[in-house]
Amino acid sequence: MGLPTSGSDFQHHRYEDMVRALFAVQSECPYITRIYSIGRSVEGRHLYVLEFSDNPGIHEALEPEFKYIGNMHGNEVLGRELLIKLSQFLCEEYRAGNQRITRLIHDTRIHILPSMNPDGYEVAARQGPELNGYLVGRGNAREIDLNRNFPDLNALLYYYEKNNGRNHHLPLPDNWELQVEPETLAVIKWMQNYNFILSANLHGGAVVANYPFDKSRDPRIRGRNTYAATPDDKIFRQVWGC
């Protein structure tokens, strides 16, 4: 199966279509890609990751590892489609001899998870664009918002700030594995098993950039916005060009 050749070939990818698209990329570029699953959704769908590297499956000393996540909210589909397209682009440009892409793949290990919430996507897709409300398919199969399902380390960091505690390698709460959804558990385990240096999580619906530990330290007041800078605020702004 070849890769799409132009923008006119664009289509939305249901779960099976997405899986076929990822395996098509792996088939076209077998020596620089690897597909692996980090777990399953509530309804049993694999959470597939497509890896790009000159040595797929191998962590190389001093080589940075980067991960992309899309479709955390099942009805926010743009990130999912962008990451599928990015995968196709990396493969095509590498095969074409693009020096920038070749250097990127040789010097960086890139992990792409197009859909963290495949169950929610299918719920939204079955409703169709005409009937789809704001919350239809946003959560997973149990209607849990995965974006708010991770342990709250912001509160722990702010507590440590006031009590001269640690500001790195924060411990997860006791029994945290029993308190999160299967998709969230899979992503946390993924982060524990790979040495990711940077990550990006693509959402849709608004122009917003969220950074780690940027939750406001002050009580939320309606009508007033506050900027909550992280300890690494300057670095994040430089990296993302904000």
Side-chain angles (χ1 to χ4, degrees):
M1 180 185 297
L3 302 181
T5 57
S6 71
S8 62
D9 296 311
F10 173 80
Q11 62 176 350
H12 284 281
H13 294 77
R14 298 287 290 263
Y15 178 73
E16 296 299 335
D17 299 324
M18 179 187 70
V19 172
R20 281 192 291 268
L22 295 179
F23 276 89
V25 172
Q26 203 279 325
S27 178
E28 292 287 335
C29 293
Y31 300 112
I32 59 166
T33 59
R34 177 176 71 108
I35 292 179
Y36 63 97
S37 173
I38 61 171
R40 290 180 181 265
S41 67
V42 170
E43 294 183 342
R45 294 181 175 91
H46 276 290
L47 304 178
Y48 281 119
V49 175
L50 179 61
E51 173 193 338
F52 282 88
S53 171
D54 57 339
N55 290 294
I58 300 174
H59 172 70
E60 300 178 68
L62 302 181
E63 182 174 80
E65 306 219 13
F66 187 99
K67 70 173 168 64
Y68 275 114
I69 296 178
N71 202 209
M72 173 181 270
H73 289 140
N75 62 356
E76 295 177 11
V77 303
L78 180 60
R80 175 185 179 121
E81 299 302 333
L82 285 175
L83 292 181
I84 293 172
K85 193 65 177 177
L86 174 62
S87 301
Q88 295 167 343
F89 173 81
L90 292 175
C91 175
E92 292 166 353
E93 292 301 304
Y94 186 89
R95 294 184 64 191
N98 183 314
Q99 292 185 1
R100 182 184 181 190
I101 298 303
T102 298
R103 183 171 63 251
L104 180 67
I105 291 175
H106 285 186
D107 295 344
T108 312
R109 192 178 178 199
I110 304 167
H111 305 255
I112 298 174
L113 173 65
S115 181
M116 180 183 168
N117 187 3
D119 296 351
Y121 180 97
E122 293 302 311
V123 171
R126 286 193 294 269
Q127 291 288 319
E130 300 301 326
L131 301 176
N132 195 0
Y134 172 66
L135 296 177
V136 176
R138 179 180 174 86
N140 67 355
R142 295 174 179 152
E143 300 186 1
I144 300 298
D145 185 340
L146 300 179
N147 193 41
R148 291 160 178 79
N149 190 235
F150 288 79
D152 181 10
L153 298 184
N154 288 275
L156 184 60
L157 177 68
Y158 300 160
Y159 171 80
Y160 283 154
E161 281 182 348
K162 296 178 180 179
N163 295 276
N164 297 317
R166 65 173 69 182
N167 65 357
H168 63 286
H169 294 165
L170 302 180
L172 293 172
D174 293 338
N175 300 318
W176 69 269
E177 295 184 22
L178 303 177
Q179 302 171 26
V180 300
E181 294 297 294
E183 298 91 346
T184 310
L185 176 64
V187 169
I188 293 176
K189 292 288 188 181
W190 186 32
M191 292 189 292
Q192 291 175 331
N193 291 331
Y194 288 82
N195 299 312
F196 296 120
I197 302 301
L198 283 174
S199 304
N201 188 329
L202 306 184
H203 289 253
V207 181
V208 178
N210 287 110
Y211 307 123
F213 302 112
D214 68 349
K215 183 178 179 180
S216 176
R217 290 167 171 78
D218 302 319
R220 187 172 183 177
I221 300 176
R222 183 180 297 275
R224 190 184 78 178
N225 295 322
T226 59
Y227 184 76
T230 77
D232 298 308
D233 185 70
K234 292 182 179 179
I235 293 177
F236 288 129
R237 283 175 169 269
Q238 181 180 2
V239 168
W240 300 115
C242 294

